[in-house]
Amino acid sequence: MIDLHMHSLYSEDGGFTPAELAAQCCREGITIMSITDHNCARANIEARPEAEARGIRYISGIEIDCVYRGLDFHVLGYGIDEQSTDLARIEDDIQQQSLRASLERLEKTQTLGFHVTRNEMQDLSKDAHWKNSWSGEMFAELLLARPEYAGHPLLRPYRPGGARSDNPYVNFYWDYYAQGKPCYVKMEYPPMEKIIDIIHRNQGKAVLAHPGVNLKGHEDLLGEILDLGMDGVEAFSSYHTPEQAAEFYAQMQKRGLSATCGSDHHGKTKPSIRLGGHGGAPSGLIADILRSFVSQ
């Protein structure tokens, strides 16, 4: 089994250490893994020896935010040099922007009618790698735990039995903090072309993450994006239907590009997404991945 998309505590919304993820992958029978933290490559150095000690092939990874035609996208970088100064600069830039954006998210959350303080959010993030960086998932965690909001209508869909209760924290993020939503705060992400170039410059392969999500309503952009120099797409994802996965896989085969598979496992922010839960990848995918992302 393969899982090339998961997040550790080096992502602001991740729930496990790199060593814990390696141990979980071992228990789940995963033989090839990659930790792809948001805009941060630090987990790879810790994860590789932990994975190899358990007989797991490890591929270095990262997931970088970028923009194409005004839309926010995620690009996965595989086989990258995790100690690259280029990647360190990306992390530093996003971390600095996040401090400002978090305060704006706080104000917009208060505008929704919730009483949340800066001190409460600082306390929630005090032990995180991204200190004072407050994601929509973190606001959801705090609000859903507050007894005074037990019957609040805006939170009802995210409580047990609600329509959005399968992954309550990240669903709250998507509904209120994602691009175009009431609490969205614009970040200055690099253009997709630049991120593809940085990944290639650092010995990596660039893969478009969960295209069924980010391309929703803009499916016609896929060809343009691939023509930018993308090496493939994450065809098999926990977010894709079997039909979507098969279509993305067929398109990659037709173009001679790579298809990958990843669950996007986070832990508490996405409890319904399990390691290895990305649908039925075809048997030949392991050989393709090893050829494309390991034997470079």
Side-chain angles (χ1 to χ4, degrees):
M1 191 187 298
I2 315 168
D3 196 333
L4 301 184
H5 191 160
M6 64 189 76
H7 294 268
S8 79
L9 290 171
Y10 286 108
S11 290
E12 64 182 10
D13 53 358
F16 303 101
T17 66
E20 287 171 335
L21 285 173
Q24 290 176 26
C25 284
C26 183
R27 290 195 296 271
E28 294 295 328
I30 290 169
T31 56
I32 307 174
M33 68 175 286
S34 180
I35 296 178
T36 51
D37 284 315
H38 296 295
N39 307 299
C40 181
R42 294 173 185 263
N44 295 289
I45 297 172
E46 297 177 29
R48 180 174 289 103
E50 296 287 345
E52 292 176 350
R54 293 169 170 83
I56 300 172
R57 185 76 67 98
Y58 189 83
I59 299 174
S60 58
I62 191 171
E63 184 175 21
I64 305 176
D65 286 279
C66 60
V67 175
Y68 183 70
R69 293 191 177 273
L71 299 172
D72 294 344
F73 286 92
H74 293 170
V75 173
L76 297 157
Y78 291 117
I80 43 95
D81 173 10
E82 61 258 27
Q83 300 189 63
S84 159
T85 55
D86 289 329
L87 302 182
R89 280 194 289 269
I90 287 172
E91 179 184 352
D92 183 64
D93 176 63
I94 295 299
Q95 195 156 35
Q96 292 303 313
Q97 289 194 61
S98 292
L99 299 177
R100 180 267 309 167
S102 294
L103 293 175
E104 289 189 40
R105 290 188 196 108
L106 175 62
E107 291 178 2
K108 293 190 174 191
T109 303
Q110 292 167 337
T111 301
L112 291 178
F114 295 113
H115 179 69
V116 184
T117 69
R118 183 172 180 173
N119 286 341
E120 287 173 319
M121 296 308 298
Q122 287 176 330
D123 188 61
L124 190 61
S125 65
K126 68 180 187 301
D127 296 323
H129 173 68
W130 298 79
K131 290 181 174 57
N132 295 323
S133 180
W134 310 325
S135 65
E137 293 93 335
M138 294 175 70
F139 284 105
E141 181 179 1
L142 183 70
L143 293 173
L144 287 168
R146 297 272 286 272
E148 62 266 39
Y149 295 135
H152 198 289
L154 292 185
L155 298 177
R156 195 171 296 131
Y158 312 95
R159 298 199 181 279
R164 303 286 282 160
S165 62
D166 58 337
N167 291 306
Y169 296 166
V170 74
N171 284 340
F172 190 74
Y173 156 75
W174 280 329
D175 294 344
Y176 287 97
Y177 299 84
Q179 192 173 20
K181 302 300 182 178
C183 296
Y184 173 71
V185 176
K186 181 176 173 56
M187 299 271 286
E188 295 298 328
Y189 296 132
M192 185 181 286
E193 301 93 321
K194 181 177 181 179
I195 293 307
I196 293 172
D197 178 65
I198 288 173
I199 290 170
H200 288 164
R201 194 164 68 232
N202 287 279
Q203 297 80 53
K205 297 291 184 71
V207 172
L208 183 65
H210 38 62
V213 174
N214 290 136
L215 283 171
K216 189 173 182 179
H218 304 278
E219 289 81 3
D220 58 315
L221 293 180
L222 180 58
E224 291 182 28
I225 288 172
L226 294 175
D227 289 341
L228 296 176
M230 199 74 71
D231 297 295
V233 305
E234 186 179 49
F236 300 90
S237 166
S238 58
Y239 307 116
H240 294 168
T241 65
E243 293 75 21
Q244 285 178 306
E247 176 60 25
F248 287 128
Y249 184 54
Q251 289 188 56
M252 293 308 101
Q253 287 189 306
K254 184 177 180 179
R255 285 177 170 262
L257 297 176
S258 297
T260 69
C261 54
S263 64
D264 200 14
H265 174 68
H266 282 68
K268 67 181 179 181
T269 62
K270 299 180 181 181
S272 74
I273 296 178
R274 61 177 181 81
L275 283 169
H278 46 66
S283 58
L285 197 65
I286 293 179
D288 291 344
I289 286 173
L290 289 174
R291 182 172 58 252
S292 299
F293 302 114
V294 177
S295 302
Q296 297 182 33

